Amino acid sequence: MENLHLAIAHRPPLPVPAAGHLRRRHLHLHHLPAPLSLPSTSHSLSSPHHHRLTPTLRRHLRPPLRVSQTPDANPEPEPEPESEPTGAKLVPFVISVAVGLAVRFLAPRPVEVSPQAWQLLSIFLSTIAGLVLGPLPVGAWAFLGLTAAVATRTLPFAAAFSAFTNEVIWLIVISFFFARGFVKTGLGDRIATYFVKWLGSSTLGLSYGLTISEACIAPAMPSTTARAGGVFLPIIKSLSLSAESKPNHPSSRKLGSYLVMTQFQASGNSSALFLTAAAQNLLCLKLAEELGVFIANPWVSWFKAASLPALAALLATPYLLYKIFPPETKDTPDAPALAEEKLKRMGPVTKNEWVMIGTMILAVSLWVFGDAIGVPSVVAAMLGLSILLLLGVLDWDDCLNEKSAWDTLAWFAVLVGMAAQLTNLGIVSWMSSCVAKLLQSFSLSWPVAFCILEGSYFLIHYLFASQTGHVGALYSAFLAMHIAAGVPRALSALALAFNTNLFGAITHYSSGQAAVYFGAGYIELPDVFRLGFITALINTFIWGVVGTIWWKFLGLY
């Protein structure tokens, strides 16, 4: 504040802002978090240069959730601008509704399909079109679809809302709470910082450290978006700024662009490695069960099938991107020291972190061995959340404020419920038989049909802005097509589920983590599409070659 008064004294013509404005600005700068503490000689968050950062950059530097356990000293709240409700976007709304009306009244209904099933299909297709075009937020549009199904008496109320008691959906919701616990306690941040300390002396080593740490955290932090926004992006930003690599600036190519792109592209393999590493994995297996495909001991079976191809892809991605999309800064000798300084500032592992560690070991152990001792996965998750609430690691407000969890509950339940009813009414079996006849007319063997269907399922994701939305819309139909084409059932269910994770990095809108990483300002849109497609080809080759051999060894076909 003294520097400010001196500046005003030397330049009297400048108008002095109001005292309240200065007070708010002082508080804002004072409470700005810095995930890694940097030397005073660098252009870092703790240096005087930080005060000259643009408002946009300061906004990017705030992590989504505060890691520190120490509360701020009553900072003055900044009023949020009020936005007037705009309602549905007209053009997407008209197109989405028109899709359903065209199917209902213009397309001829096959004789094998009942009027009720055809009407539900039209409502479902309108719902899916709205998820793609976005006339309303996802949860709101899904609720409109559910309302249409009940209001037109296509589905009775009990059948329409039956999926809200689905165990897998509640397991996904509780997983969001676990992810919040990792971020709130700082445990995820601490684990990632250790890997930076051990491997971060070069840019390539730094990338491997971040990639490996995410793979270690993934099974107990079942949200790729939360891992991206709550743990890895804040660390990457701090390391990049220490190398004078700034977002939305030509210097971004020094370090930040490579680290963000590598973490973004590798995250899909981390999510595919474990059943509990991403919400959509659990949803895939639930939808498979509704089609009669049951995976025995799902956590272990999933890990065994994914382990070799996922680990091979995780090891290849940082190196290949280092060659294709090289950073200007090759060595980062200060990174381990910065990480060690940060760990000293964090202090010893806190009680809440130990509780989080013990709880997640218990939950993962029950997910692995639960089938043998009769403990369902959702019960294991409920026990874990209860421990976190009882011991104060999370409080109920944390759960209530986790809007993404409740939003997911709403629209997941709608999509799963509609998909289940479509299966019960015979729509899925009718579609799969039509596809099977088409494939048989070309005399295709099941391996060729498998490749065509998997490739189609992958490429269609360019039309989707959500992995889980894609699963809810198409997983059941494609799995039924696989089965009708003669593809082994367990292989079909798992391969489609693995694919669901791998296409999460092909565009800037293809997943929650895509929006997080692209929004950081370090990667440009053409690079996202170009490298997303190249990495997709690399992943396809690795999973196709390594996976095919490994799955044959495991007896999946």
Side-chain angles (χ1 to χ4, degrees):
M1 189 63 78
E2 292 176 1
N3 293 337
L4 181 59
H5 288 312
L6 287 174
I8 295 172
H10 283 86
R11 302 179 65 179
L14 291 176
V16 180
H21 173 76
L22 292 177
R23 187 164 53 252
R24 286 192 298 272
R25 179 174 175 82
H26 172 73
L27 285 168
H28 173 70
L29 292 174
H30 176 70
H31 293 287
L32 182 65
L36 285 176
S37 176
L38 307 174
S40 58
T41 57
S42 67
H43 298 287
S44 66
L45 303 187
S46 58
S47 71
H49 296 278
H50 168 61
H51 296 269
R52 293 199 293 270
L53 295 175
T54 64
T56 301
L57 182 53
R58 284 200 302 271
R59 188 162 56 251
H60 282 306
L61 291 174
R62 297 188 190 122
L65 290 174
R66 182 173 295 279
V67 171
S68 173
Q69 293 283 338
T70 306
D72 291 340
N74 299 321
E76 181 179 335
E78 296 184 6
E80 297 183 0
E82 295 183 2
S83 58
E84 295 189 7
T86 57
K89 300 174 185 176
L90 183 59
V91 174
F93 173 79
V94 171
I95 296 174
S96 301
V97 173
V99 168
L101 293 177
V103 172
R104 175 66 179 84
F105 295 106
L106 299 180
R109 176 176 60 84
V111 293
E112 303 93 337
V113 178
S114 67
Q116 179 191 9
W118 195 248
Q119 185 159 295
L120 180 59
L121 177 63
S122 66
I123 296 172
F124 183 73
L125 293 177
S126 272
T127 304
I128 297 304
L131 296 182
V132 175
L133 300 175
L136 284 173
V138 172
W141 185 253
F143 183 78
L144 261 65
L146 189 66
T147 302
V150 175
T152 58
R153 299 183 180 180
T154 306
L155 292 177
F157 185 89
F161 282 85
S162 61
F164 281 85
T165 60
N166 187 294
E167 292 183 2
V168 172
I169 293 175
W170 279 101
L171 177 58
I172 293 169
V173 171
I174 296 173
S175 296
F176 280 95
F177 302 149
F178 284 164
R180 189 176 186 90
F182 258 88
V183 177
K184 182 181 179 181
T185 61
L187 179 60
D189 192 23
R190 184 185 295 274
I191 294 172
T193 305
Y194 268 113
F195 278 96
V196 172
K197 174 185 174 181
W198 296 331
L199 301 174
S201 58
S202 68
T203 301
L204 184 59
L206 186 60
S207 177
Y208 271 110
L210 294 170
T211 299
I212 294 171
S213 63
E214 177 164 12
C216 293
I217 294 171
M221 192 175 183
S223 169
T224 317
T225 306
R227 295 197 300 268
V231 176
F232 292 99
L233 187 57
I235 292 175
I236 290 172
K237 282 182 175 180
S238 294
L239 292 168
S240 301
L241 288 170
S242 72
E244 299 184 0
S245 178
K246 303 174 183 178
N248 302 305
H249 189 270
S251 64
S252 63
R253 289 300 299 269
K254 284 186 175 181
L255 182 64
S257 296
Y258 168 73
L259 291 181
V260 170
M261 183 63 76
T262 304
Q263 200 69 18
F264 176 30
Q265 296 298 333
S267 61
N269 289 293
S270 299
S271 297
L273 183 56
F274 302 99
L275 174 61
T276 51
Q280 62 267 13
N281 298 345
L282 302 163
L283 182 61
C284 286
L285 292 197
K286 179 60 182 177
L287 293 175
E289 288 180 5
E290 293 178 356
L291 289 177
V293 181
F294 295 92
I295 306 295
N297 199 354
W299 203 98
V300 175
S301 298
W302 179 292
F303 177 72
K304 285 169 60 178
S307 56
L308 203 58
L311 290 173
L314 282 170
L315 292 175
T317 300
Y319 178 77
L320 292 175
L321 285 176
Y322 189 80
K323 297 297 184 181
I324 300 170
F325 190 62
E328 296 174 5
T329 300
K330 306 296 183 183
D331 297 311
T332 54
D334 294 335
L338 295 175
E340 187 169 2
E341 181 184 344
K342 179 182 177 181
L343 289 169
K344 289 180 180 178
R345 193 171 69 251
M346 293 176 74
V349 180
T350 64
K351 177 185 77 71
N352 282 351
E353 287 178 273
W354 281 119
V355 172
M356 195 73 208
I357 292 171
T359 301
M360 295 319 303
I361 290 175
L362 173 64
V364 172
S365 299
L366 290 176
W367 286 334
V368 174
F369 303 109
D371 282 357
I373 60 178
V375 179
S377 296
V378 68
V379 175
M382 291 170 67
L383 290 172
L385 178 59
S386 298
I387 292 172
L388 297 180
L389 291 171
L390 283 171
L391 298 181
V393 176
L394 292 174
D395 56 43
W396 191 239
D397 283 341
D398 291 323
C399 298
L400 293 177
N401 291 330
E402 193 63 36
K403 295 181 180 179
S404 57
W406 303 114
D407 184 54
T408 299
L409 171 64
W411 68 277
F412 261 32
V414 172
L415 288 180
V416 171
M418 284 190 179
Q421 293 301 319
L422 286 172
T423 301
N424 293 338
L425 293 173
I427 285 288
V428 174
S429 60
W430 166 74
M431 291 177 60
S432 62
S433 64
C434 291
V435 173
K437 291 177 182 177
L438 178 63
L439 294 175
Q440 289 170 2
S441 67
F442 291 102
S443 301
L444 299 179
S445 62
W446 76 255
V448 176
F450 173 77
C451 293
I452 292 174
L453 292 171
E454 290 287 333
S456 301
Y457 183 76
F458 189 99
L459 293 174
I460 288 174
H461 193 66
Y462 278 101
L463 302 177
F464 281 86
S466 164
Q467 290 166 287
T468 49
H470 189 139
V471 171
L474 297 177
Y475 181 88
S476 296
F478 269 83
L479 179 56
M481 295 176 199
H482 277 67
I483 295 171
V487 183
R489 299 166 76 87
L491 176 64
S492 303
L494 291 172
L496 283 172
F498 298 151
N499 222 346
T500 300
N501 292 287
L502 300 180
F503 58 46
I506 57 176
T507 68
H508 63 299
Y509 57 83
S510 56
S511 61
Q513 65 269 24
V516 170
Y517 284 125
F518 178 72
Y522 277 101
I523 50 179
E524 297 180 357
L525 195 58
D527 290 329
V528 174
F529 277 86
R530 178 175 64 88
L531 293 174
F533 183 74
I534 292 173
T535 308
L537 292 178
I538 293 171
N539 282 328
T540 300
F541 177 79
I542 292 174
W543 282 78
V545 174
V546 178
T548 298
I549 299 171
W550 181 237
W551 297 334
K552 179 67 173 177
F553 174 78
L554 294 177
L556 290 180
Y557 68 94

